[in-house]
Amino acid sequence: RNITLRGLVAGRSRDEIEEKRKWISEFSELGDFLDMPFLTYSSGMRMRLHFAIATAFQPEILLMDEWLSAGDIRFRDKASERMSELVEDASILVLASHNRQLLERNCSQAIWLDGGQVRAEGNVSDTFDAFAESQKAIREQANANA
């Protein structure tokens, strides 16, 4: 029932959910806890179920805000591997992050948005360099005013 309810909330049809139920159950590793009320789940258990449901379906366009970094080390590794699979199979990845290595590893182009305005765009390294220089100038100005 938790898989069905969370899947419906995520906008999936009952047929889609049913088709992926076994995969979601196995990936989440919640076992018998799947049948317990969702409100009794720990935050880690909730994250596992949400992640399993969200990643059970292959999107054409993948929108991500950062990368999963929750859960125990083994599950983080498993989730990171799954995210890599999704990124590889997606036609388009839009990734919001301040992590240079993550962006360079997964993106070919970058846009730096500041207050809703495009401040820089181009390859990831050049765009990130412009962002880093701006942040350095802000810190230096703050230190000078302190």
Side-chain angles (χ1 to χ4, degrees):
R1 183 169 179 200
N2 283 325
I3 291 173
T4 301
L5 292 175
R6 301 294 149 208
L8 291 171
V9 167
R12 298 299 176 177
S13 72
R14 288 183 185 275
D15 289 341
E16 287 177 307
I17 296 164
E18 206 49 50
E19 188 177 301
K20 297 290 186 173
R21 178 177 304 285
K22 183 177 181 197
W23 187 93
I24 292 167
S25 175
E26 289 172 358
F27 192 91
S28 71
E29 300 176 349
L30 292 174
D32 293 338
F33 290 102
L34 273 172
D35 297 326
M36 293 181 64
F38 187 75
L39 294 175
T40 64
Y41 282 19
S42 68
S43 61
M45 292 167 72
R46 289 177 183 177
M47 180 276 307
R48 283 172 179 255
L49 183 58
H50 285 302
F51 183 86
I53 291 168
T55 62
F57 307 94
Q58 181 61 49
E60 185 175 334
I61 299 173
L62 184 58
L63 304 173
M64 294 178 54
D65 184 5
E66 295 293 343
W67 201 268
L68 181 72
S69 60
D72 60 64
I73 290 173
R74 192 188 56 70
F75 190 80
R76 266 199 318 258
D77 290 345
K78 179 180 173 178
S80 185
E81 183 178 318
R82 178 64 182 144
M83 291 306 304
S84 294
E85 291 169 5
L86 286 174
V87 167
E88 188 174 309
D89 292 340
S91 298
I92 298 171
L93 168 66
V94 178
L95 174 60
S97 181
H98 292 95
N99 182 319
R100 182 181 193 129
Q101 291 78 23
L102 178 65
L103 293 168
E104 288 176 339
R105 187 172 55 246
N106 293 287
C107 302
S108 60
Q109 296 290 305
I111 298 173
W112 168 25
L113 294 174
D114 184 18
Q117 301 296 312
V118 175
R119 294 278 305 268
E121 62 182 299
N123 73 55
V124 176
S125 293
D126 292 346
T127 305
F128 205 93
D129 287 345
F131 170 74
E133 281 298 316
S134 171
Q135 297 305 297
K136 181 181 174 185
I138 290 170
R139 283 191 305 277
E140 288 173 353
Q141 182 64 40
N143 289 338
N145 291 337

